[in-house]
Amino acid sequence: MRTFSMGGIHPPENKISAGKAIEQVPLPAQVAILLNQHSGAPAVPVVQRGDRVKTGQLIAEAAGYISANIHSSVTGKVLKLDEVYDASGYRCQAVIIEVEPADEWTEEVVLNSTLKRDCTLSPEEIIQKIKEAGVVGMGGASFPSHVKLSPPPGTKPEVLIVNAAECEPYLTSDHQLMLEKGMEIIVGTKITMMALKVNRAVIAIENNKPDAITLLERLAIPYSQIDVMPLAVHYPQGGEKQLIEAVLGRHVPSGALPVVTGAIVLNVGSIFANYEAVQKNKPVIDRVVCVTGKSVKKPGNYLCRIGTSVQDLIDFAGGMPDSTAKVISGGPMMGKALINTQVPVTKGTSGVLLMDGNEAHRNEVYNCIRCGDCIEACPMGLEPYLLMSLSELSEWEAMEKECIMNCIECGCCSYVCPSNRPLLDHLRVGKFKVGAIIRGRKNQ
Amino acid sequence: MENKLYVSMSPHIHGGDSISRKMWDVIIALIPALLVSLYFFGLGSLLVTSVSIASCVLFEYLIARFLLKQESTLRDGSAILTGLLLAFNLPSNLPLWIVVIGALVAIGMAKMSFGGLGNNIFNPALVGRVFLLISFPQQMTSWPLPKPFNLHYLDAATGATPLSVMKSSRFDRLPDMLDMFIGNTGGSLGEVAAAALILGGLFLLIRKVITWHIPVSILLTVYIFTGILRVANPEVYADPLSHLLTGGLMLGAIFMATDYVTSPMVKKGQVIYGIGIGIITVCIRVFGSYPEGVSFAILMMNGVTPLINAYCKPKRFGEVKKK
Amino acid sequence: MNVILIAVIVLGGTGIILASVIFLTAKKFRVYEDPRIDEVQNVLPGANCGGCAYPGCRNFAEACVKSESLDGLLCPVGGNDVMKSVASLLGREVVEADPLVAVLRCNGTCANRPKTSRYEGVSSCMAASLLYGGDTACTYGCLGMGDCVTVCQFDALYIDKETGLPVVDEAKCTSCGACVRACPRHLFELRKKGPKSRRIFVSCMNKDKGALARKACSVACIACGKCEQVCTFDAISIKDNLAYIDYNACRLCRKCVEACPTNSIWELNFPPRKKAAEQEVSATKAETGKDATTV
Ligand code: SF4
Ligand code: SF4
């Protein structure tokens, strides 16, 4: 079974919500649509307080190249433009809309669910449509897709890799999406290949989803250019660099863009969004979020509108258990702990994970016993124990020499440390500081 | 929010491995060798081992509690392990007060004065042993002969060990290879039973507490080096296999050199470290004045470990070759 | 005898050879340095704190010797006295600088600012602020984990257990600015120490709109503008929902302190007021955390 070569871990999978059919969450009374749902510059609102907006209508425009459009996910009246807490606990601009019970879609959106296979648009038109629809990476990093699909001059993409590894424990939204929208994903892949002008695509799926692998393999038979590749269950298989290595056997040189290896990696959710954007003219206004956790009453995969609060989602999944001590947006390895459940769902929210007190707590920290487990586990070949002590000593230059900027913040090191050392916490501080130093140097 | 949520950085889950798991695994792996030693050295072995463990635990507790005023770290089992390993390196007829001194040096000098587990540079049990070897050479080098269910302690019959026989190049007096393998020879109480130690080592490998790099590189180096010497002059130099099976080599290679804190972290470094130990051991055994060199070899390479760590870096992902 | 002789010759010879090597190297690679640099360095405090914006005292001494005038060069730790001796050493003029002191612009004590979540992880403000907005609803306020205390070389900061906020010991503070640089929330400011150490400043950095700020913290600046109106010296400006008092323009009349409806303007080291009503104000202020007259 193919996988990446260095490090990695095998956390318990805990895919509690696997195989649960996607359910539509009823429209909430109010949505808060954040303007910074993507990496890059926040979008600029184009509606005003009191405006009535339709579902799918543009409410904020991309500001600059690395940015993305944002559309209204509901029909209703704009209550206000205000700041709300986002997943990181900082306040961020959002458009708050009071929802009307009946959806009224913008005209151009095709609402039927019949499959539309053919696409006669040119690559530029496809990318334009994807850009207009505001598609971003739906796996969590939320990098605008149209930027990814327009690689910088001088690089030549050869392969499209569809990231369907879903290596995070607990999460199942991509898995279920593949099971239910398999054909759309295949067509989406085809369209994305046309946009990139490549003639090979690999859909990479971790081996713990055999049903999705068989299904997509069968659906992909007519498309000789699309391969489905099962990968070993190995965290962080879905990391961009790890995935490229697993699929192509090529290493992304440190400091370079992944595209120099000829590969473009897109999350399977984004591929589906591409399909909807190009074939159905539907912007990203909803997504599948899996609500999961050992104590959740009704774990499952829920299709909800962007801007629905996490609380609404949890209520739909049977309410918040009293024992809940931590709510995580995303998976347990890389997700963000939320400060409260009023935080709205964004394009990058792949799951909501509830943890009870025992699971949520960190253990007592001891001295490093230099066992080297963290080095073994690091998929980037770093020495987390060393980087952590350097960070504690504020030795930023030394950290830079020890390649701190290569860290992908996968968390394998903290996961394995027998002394429960908060390695990644310190590494993040160091990475931030070193990043600032490097930027400062460049600006000089 | 009434119910305040916990917020922390990812990752939010932990693999559940712990120091105590690792330490207890090592202790379990030492049990077969302990049993063999109880069989051959009887009462003496029992006394020395229990006193060594008890005094290590006691000293660690007292020092942590009253000198360093920190929380006691006894739960991680490392003091018990140090005590056990120290005992394994002592002859079973050693007076108990010497054992206590050894424990004090191991815990007090080699471990706690550096700041406890994780900060020490040298393997505590070995420091204790070498200290005793230098301070009490007589008691430390008169090894009792194995005798099933031996009930003699201080007055146990002593005799030459295979190592001293090898030193004097009278190979006809070497015990049977099989005896050396199962531990029916004279020596420190835990080091004689090569078979039991290898069994423990396999357990550690399976439990992923250690990797093969350090033990294999040490044993292989010793084998090759002594093999070359043997080929050069079979009159003077013992055959490589007896080198492997005698003295503290197995114990050292599998349990002492693999101590996390004092061995290099990166695989490449571990191999260098193992080769270093192998070469120094053979040099001391063959050319030096001591019959046994494993302890010194490991301690010397412990001292080099920080240097190895500084220069042996893991292979970085996507490393750009500098031209 | 022979052995001793050989030993003496060998060791002595080696010594002589090495000594001459060192001597020659020292001669050959000698770098000329202005001797005044050493002299200046000797009068500097030697704290190497970086408060002068140079990496260390020696670099500062070099800068003093090399530059034409001492304008813009200030050792905050040594203050005017040291700068005067530097000036006299170099035969230059020095303008007296007003002594500064660090002030914390946050009064979000445990009592004033209720917690909304619980942080678990490394006890470092930097790490926490990278992670999220903090364990209270105010995303601008003090995180209370003492990165500033860690960097302060002069022992002038400590975290008050009760309030959870750092306290500046103004007798020890040398205004080196380490805390200003360390605080990820930029809550410290070096302000003019003022006559008799009297100072007035807005003890809040919350840039949220009034209602929100107030909800997060009972002593937040809500940018109501009352202080701006009462100030007769134009020292107060309001920007981004936050009032700021320019310490150069402020004449310490204390009108704004009375006007502020949320008690977010602080006065330090003033004698207690005469009128009873106003005494109450400062009494509540003392209750809210730090004792206003002794900080
Ligand atoms: S978080 Fe960084 S240092 Fe830790 S294992 Fe992942 S890449 Fe390596
Ligand atoms: S895993 Fe933990 S204990 Fe082991 S070397 Fe890394 S930091 Fe140290």
Side-chain angles (χ1 to χ4, degrees), chain C residues 254 271-279:
Chain C
R254 295 203 269 172
R273 268 166 237 245
K274 306 274 152 46
K275 281 180 261 159
E278 279 163 359
Q279 238 159 25

Side-chain angles (χ1 to χ4, degrees), chain A residues 85 88 90-91 361 425 432, chain C residues 120 126 129 132 137 185 212:
Chain A
Y85 287 105
S88 62
Y90 283 101
R91 303 178 71 80
H361 278 298
D425 293 22
F432 174 78
Chain C
E120 211 182 37
M126 191 68 217
S129 82
Y132 77 135
R185 294 281 158 99
L212 267 172

Side-chain angles (χ1 to χ4, degrees), chain C residues 215-227:
Chain C
K215 211 170 134 203
C217 176
S218 62
V219 292
C221 167
I222 53 173
C224 61
K226 292 213 174 101
C227 50

Side-chain angles (χ1 to χ4, degrees), chain C residues 167-220:
Chain C
V167 180
V168 183
D169 182 339
E170 62 183 55
K172 289 185 186 160
C173 174
T174 61
S175 72
C176 72
C179 52
V180 178
R181 291 185 291 271
C183 179
R185 294 281 158 99
H186 310 292
L187 294 177
F188 280 99
E189 190 193 5
L190 296 177
R191 291 180 73 93
K192 203 150 79 175
K193 206 160 188 178
K196 298 207 189 117
S197 289
R198 288 177 183 170
R199 320 187 263 293
I200 292 180
F201 61 94
V202 180
S203 186
C204 180
M205 284 293 273
N206 191 313
K207 296 193 180 113
D208 281 334
K209 287 198 200 97
L212 267 172
R214 189 63 195 264
K215 211 170 134 203
C217 176
S218 62
V219 292

Side-chain angles (χ1 to χ4, degrees), chain B residues 220-273:
Chain B
L220 215 60
T221 313
V222 170
Y223 191 85
I224 294 174
F225 195 6
T226 51
I228 295 172
L229 291 176
R230 174 77 172 183
V231 171
N233 191 349
E235 295 285 292
V236 187
Y237 301 116
D239 72 302
L241 207 56
S242 0
H243 266 292
L244 286 193
L245 294 178
T246 50
L249 190 64
M250 279 295 166
L251 181 66
I254 298 175
F255 292 96
M256 315 290 277
T258 52
D259 171 37
Y260 287 138
V261 184
T262 53
S263 63
M265 324 245 327
V266 180
K267 297 285 160 299
K268 197 167 46 173
Q270 293 181 348
V271 172
I272 297 178
Y273 169 84

